[in-house]
């Protein structure tokens, strides 16, 4: 059981349907007495994180036990997209913006989050397509109740480009924050946590996946997946490397300082990553979700039972 006087942060990365792995892992942490003082998430990590920030973990578990693809998206056929684009080019309709309509996901978020009170500081993010920068959105613990704007911002954090329609928000066109910041560790560090739990949905080490890419849509999706995976790996490696150096310096009686003169602090970390690939991020088949959930539980148990000071990402 963790020291109740310690401040503990939670970081949840992206991964679509692979978010079931995160919920399985979190079941173990909550059973072991963990309570989180701040959390950040992006993409599916923002969806899971919003439920945790509003103290609805039991409801989140039930949601992943029954959720299906139709609860998340409505697919458009390739022929339909081509037809829509052709009509747009001759001025008869608006252009297609994604292969899937996320209206079902918006409805799901509204049903579970609208009006719920945020209990802990919650960071998530999205990318503005016009400016190309990552926007760090924050809902702090001040009795704030989730409103319709919050719903749209969380929805934007999960709007994978090409796969989903972007989200229109006060003149901005917003998409998945994971394309710039798939594992948002930096957001929790200003809270000066003593311990951090990071739950990605991809293995840390190099894992080669043989994927069939025989049409333009699969090529586009695969290119995005590869890009996100590289960003994710670099985020984790950077944190672990700096944290390791800080710990080594402390053992030698030295202190490493940031450019602003403030000292770095060693943070006990648990990186609960799958050891094998979890498969397609849009695979919401019931048996696959259950498998991912159980793998999350098993991996969290292994991490906590061995209690390593720090996971090695290399």
């Amino acid at each position: 059981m963790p020291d109740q006087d310690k401040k503990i942060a939670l970081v949840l990365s992206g991964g679509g349907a692979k978010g079931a792995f995160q919920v399985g892992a979190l079941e173990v942490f909550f059973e072991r007495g963990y309570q989180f003082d701040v959390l950040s998430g992006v993409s599916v990590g923002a969806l899971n994180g919003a439920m945790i920030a509003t103290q609805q973990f039991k409801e989140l578990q039930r949601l992943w036990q029954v959720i299906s693809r139709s609860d998340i998206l409505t697919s458009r056929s390739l022929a339909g997209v081509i037809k829509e684009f052709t009509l747009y080019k001759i001025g008869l309709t608006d252009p297609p913006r994604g292969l899937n309509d996320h209206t079902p996901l918006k409805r799901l978020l509204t049903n579970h989050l609208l009006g719920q009170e945020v209990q802990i500081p919650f960071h998530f993010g999205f990318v503005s397509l016009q400016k190309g920068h990552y926007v760090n959105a924050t809902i702090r613990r001040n009795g704030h109740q989730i409103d319709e704007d919050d719903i749209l911002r969380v929805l934007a954090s999960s709007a994978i480009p090409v796969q989903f329609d972007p989200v229109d928000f006060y003149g901005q066109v917003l998409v998945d924050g994971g394309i710039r910041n798939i594992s948002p560790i930096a957001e929790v560090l200003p809270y000066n946590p003593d311990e951090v739990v990071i739950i990605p949905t991809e293995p840390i080490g190099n894992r080669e996946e043989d994927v069939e890419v025989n049409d333009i849509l699969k090529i586009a999706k695969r290119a995005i997946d590869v890009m996100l995976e590289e960003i994710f790996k670099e985020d984790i490696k950077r944190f672990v490397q700096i944290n390791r150096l800080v710990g080594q310096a402390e053992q030698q009686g030295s202190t490493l300082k940031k450019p602003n003169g403030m000292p770095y602090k060693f943070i006990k970390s648990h990186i609960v990553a799958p050891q094998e690939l979890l498969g397609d991020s849009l695979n919401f088949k019931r048996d696959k979700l259950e498998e991912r959930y159980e793998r999350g539980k098993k991996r969290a148990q292994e991490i906590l039972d061995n209690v390593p000071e720090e996971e090695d990402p290399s």
Side-chain angles (χ1 to χ4, degrees):
M1 182 174 292
D3 187 338
Q4 298 301 316
D5 293 329
K6 289 185 176 181
K7 184 179 292 185
I8 305 175
L10 173 64
V11 178
L12 301 172
S13 65
K18 292 179 281 191
F21 176 90
Q22 295 176 337
V23 182
L26 283 167
E27 178 182 321
V28 176
F29 276 89
F30 284 124
E31 287 176 350
R32 301 286 182 98
Y34 274 75
Q35 296 294 325
F36 299 105
D37 300 284
V38 59
L39 71 89
S40 68
V42 70
S43 196
V44 73
L47 306 183
N48 286 337
M51 293 291 285
I52 295 167
T54 53
Q55 293 191 342
Q56 296 189 86
F57 182 68
K58 292 295 185 183
E59 184 62 27
L60 180 62
Q61 288 177 294
R62 286 192 289 269
L63 186 58
W64 279 98
Q65 289 167 1
V66 300
I67 201 168
S68 66
R69 185 183 176 94
S70 62
D71 294 319
I72 302 297
L73 55 87
T74 300
S75 297
R76 301 184 177 100
S77 68
L78 179 57
V81 172
I82 293 173
K83 178 181 178 181
E84 192 175 348
F85 184 77
T86 302
L87 293 174
Y88 159 68
K89 294 302 288 185
I90 61 177
L92 296 180
T93 188
D94 294 328
R97 305 205 299 170
L99 295 175
N100 300 291
D101 178 2
H102 49 49
T103 299
L105 178 56
K106 181 182 177 183
R107 185 183 309 117
L108 188 74
L109 292 173
T110 300
N111 290 340
H112 289 279
L113 291 173
L114 188 63
Q116 294 290 331
E117 185 174 327
V118 176
Q119 301 294 320
I120 62 175
F122 172 44
H123 292 257
F124 58 101
F126 42 80
V127 169
S128 168
L129 281 183
Q130 290 101 321
K131 297 184 179 179
H133 61 237
Y134 179 82
V135 179
N136 175 27
T138 307
I139 302 177
R140 299 189 183 278
R141 182 178 58 186
N142 58 355
H144 174 78
Q145 294 182 341
I146 299 289
D147 57 30
E148 292 183 358
D149 282 354
D150 295 326
I151 298 292
L152 286 176
R153 294 191 300 163
V154 173
L155 181 65
S157 187
S158 62
I160 304 170
V162 181
Q163 289 294 326
F164 288 95
D165 292 338
V167 173
D168 296 313
F169 187 77
Y170 295 99
Q172 301 178 75
V173 180
L174 309 178
V175 296
D176 191 337
I179 67 174
R180 290 294 300 270
N181 189 18
I182 196 165
S183 195
I185 302 169
E187 281 72 14
V188 303
L189 298 182
Y191 291 84
N192 199 31
D194 302 292
E195 190 170 343
V196 61
V197 176
I198 304 171
I199 311 181
T201 59
E202 294 287 343
I204 297 294
N206 294 324
R207 298 289 190 278
E208 293 186 1
E209 184 177 16
D210 188 7
V211 177
E212 183 179 342
V213 284
N214 56 4
D215 64 48
I216 187 172
L217 298 180
K218 290 180 180 178
I219 291 170
K221 182 178 183 299
R222 179 59 175 163
I224 292 173
D225 286 345
V226 170
M227 177 185 66
L228 297 186
E229 184 177 345
E230 288 305 310
I231 296 172
F232 149 73
K233 288 180 179 178
E234 289 305 312
D235 285 347
I236 297 288
K237 287 180 179 179
R238 188 179 304 111
F239 167 75
V240 170
Q241 289 167 355
I242 292 175
N243 202 42
R244 181 182 291 123
L245 289 173
V246 172
Q248 291 172 348
E250 288 183 359
Q251 291 175 359
Q252 299 297 322
S254 300
T255 301
L256 296 183
K257 294 185 178 181
K258 304 174 185 178
N260 63 6
M262 295 294 293
Y264 280 104
K265 172 184 175 180
F266 178 78
I267 304 171
K268 183 177 180 180
S269 60
H270 302 293
I271 303 176
V272 188
Q275 294 179 299
E276 301 296 336
L277 294 163
L278 295 177
D280 190 344
S281 60
L282 292 181
N283 185 346
F284 284 90
K285 292 181 178 178
R286 175 55 32 208
D287 59 342
K288 195 64 178 177
L289 294 181
E290 291 174 355
E291 175 196 331
R292 290 165 176 163
Y293 193 99
E294 291 303 316
R295 287 172 66 177
K297 287 178 60 176
K298 180 181 178 183
R299 188 64 184 134
Q301 290 165 351
E302 291 170 347
I303 293 293
L304 289 177
D305 288 343
N306 289 296
V307 195
E309 284 297 300
E310 197 168 351
E311 293 282 297
D312 189 345
S314 60

